[in-house]
Amino acid sequence: MAAISAATAELLDGYDGVYAVQSFNPFALQWFMNNRPDVPRGLLSKNFIMDGEGQSAVNRIALTGMFTNVVAHPNFISYELKSIGEPTFEAIRAFTDLPMFAWTLKSQDQLDTAKALGFDAFIFDSFETQLKS
């Protein structure tokens, strides 16, 4: 993970715009915390228990419950909109003051839902948004 994170940081060092990094892997965020502490870090999460993508049961529980935050120390959480309402998500919202991003929104209805749920920011895919209040 360190090699990928270092290569990413090297590419971003040449970028002149504003950016943040985010990853499902808490060790990538840990690398950025230790080596590029000024770069905002976001932990991508969802219900890994139901959608484990080949992860062990222990990893699925740790990732879903965001127990890895002690390693990652994210500046924000990006949570999959379709996993909203899961008990672990509600617990994270109750016990953290980190900004919460909703991903990946693919329709205006999903954006409206995420706004109504009080998310701080939104990650879009393949649709033209209307961000009016």
Side-chain angles (χ1 to χ4, degrees), residues 56-121:
S56 70
V58 170
N59 282 357
R60 288 195 315 264
I61 291 167
L63 290 169
T64 299
M66 294 188 220
F67 302 124
T68 59
N69 283 3
V70 298
V71 171
H73 296 282
N75 301 109
F76 61 94
I77 304 291
S78 293
Y79 209 85
E80 182 181 41
L81 186 64
K82 73 178 186 178
S83 293
I84 301 308
E86 298 293 330
T88 52
F89 171 74
E90 297 305 327
I92 292 300
R93 283 198 81 172
F95 294 110
T96 186
D97 59 354
L98 292 175
M100 299 292 287
F101 292 26
W103 68 271
T104 296
L105 310 180
K106 297 183 180 194
S107 71
Q108 187 65 43
D109 286 342
Q110 288 182 340
L111 172 59
D112 293 342
T113 297
K115 286 169 66 176
L117 289 169
F119 279 90
D120 300 296

Side-chain angles (χ1 to χ4, degrees), residues 13-25:
D13 286 344
Y15 181 67
D16 195 30
V18 176
Y19 65 89
V21 296
Q22 59 181 358
S23 179
F24 289 105
N25 190 316

Side-chain angles (χ1 to χ4, degrees), residues 46-52 57 60-61 64-65 88:
K46 64 179 186 171
N47 182 346
F48 287 97
I49 294 169
M50 299 304 291
D51 185 9
R60 288 195 315 264
I61 291 167
T64 299
T88 52

